[in-house]
Amino acid sequence: MKIAGGVMNYFKSTVFFSRLLLALGVLVFNTSVYWIGYYISMLYKESSFQEFDGITIWFLTACFILIVLVLMILGWILNCKSNFVINTIVVIATCCAIPHVIFSLVFLLGFLVLPLDILACYLVRWYLRGGAKYQPEAKPALKMKIKLG
């Protein structure tokens, strides 16, 4: 019962809501989702999966990066701890993302998703440092003394 109360306190805390609003702000107000979707659809139109070439690898790495990024954002919002497997996936996704970020910055599309790139860099650092360090404060239980008579 005590664990469930601590989890519920986190979802009521300002840290949870500030992380949620920051992530939504980055994704919505900076039109990142639109540009990333447009970028992937352009890659998909140019690639024919009949032969395994460079464009297919470029498209598949972009999909992998986006899946890992969305999972990183969800793990950050939900305050998940990091382990060796998660850190390995984050490092692989970061290595895959570097050419995509350089390519998008060269063609000036990267400035539209720059807030998402900054959030992704912060999340990589957050995960590699161990993830959840925030512990919600336990509020003391309300004790009532009732005097009879």
Side-chain angles (χ1 to χ4, degrees):
M1 220 41 170
K2 191 173 186 179
I3 294 173
V7 171
M8 291 309 294
N9 285 338
Y10 172 72
F11 289 116
K12 294 177 186 177
S13 70
T14 57
V15 172
F16 171 74
F17 285 110
S18 64
R19 289 178 177 182
L20 182 66
L21 290 176
L22 179 69
L24 288 176
V26 166
L27 291 174
V28 173
F29 295 122
N30 294 303
T31 65
S32 300
V33 175
Y34 172 76
W35 287 108
I36 290 172
Y38 181 71
Y39 174 69
I40 286 181
S41 68
M42 284 179 47
L43 288 175
Y44 182 73
K45 287 178 187 175
E46 291 179 9
S47 66
S48 60
F49 287 103
Q50 296 169 354
E51 60 182 56
F52 200 70
D53 57 354
I55 295 174
T56 305
I57 294 172
W58 194 258
F59 174 73
L60 292 175
T61 57
C63 290
F64 172 69
I65 293 164
L66 286 177
I67 290 169
V68 171
L69 183 62
V70 168
L71 292 176
M72 284 172 50
I73 289 172
L74 286 175
W76 178 62
I77 290 171
L78 297 176
N79 201 31
C80 296
K81 285 196 179 260
S82 165
N83 60 24
F84 179 73
V85 175
I86 294 172
N87 288 345
T88 304
I89 293 171
V90 166
V91 168
I92 292 170
T94 303
C95 292
C96 290
I98 290 171
H100 288 273
V101 171
I102 292 171
F103 181 77
S104 63
L105 287 174
V106 166
F107 289 104
L108 301 177
L109 289 175
F111 294 108
L112 299 172
V113 292
L114 195 59
L116 186 63
D117 292 339
I118 292 169
L119 178 63
C121 290
Y122 171 76
L123 289 177
V124 167
R125 181 176 168 260
W126 186 79
Y127 273 98
L128 293 180
R129 287 188 165 203
K133 293 207 175 17
Y134 170 76
Q135 296 297 325
E137 296 176 12
K139 295 181 181 176
L142 183 62
K143 295 182 180 180
M144 296 178 63
K145 293 183 180 181
I146 300 175
K147 288 187 175 182
L148 298 174

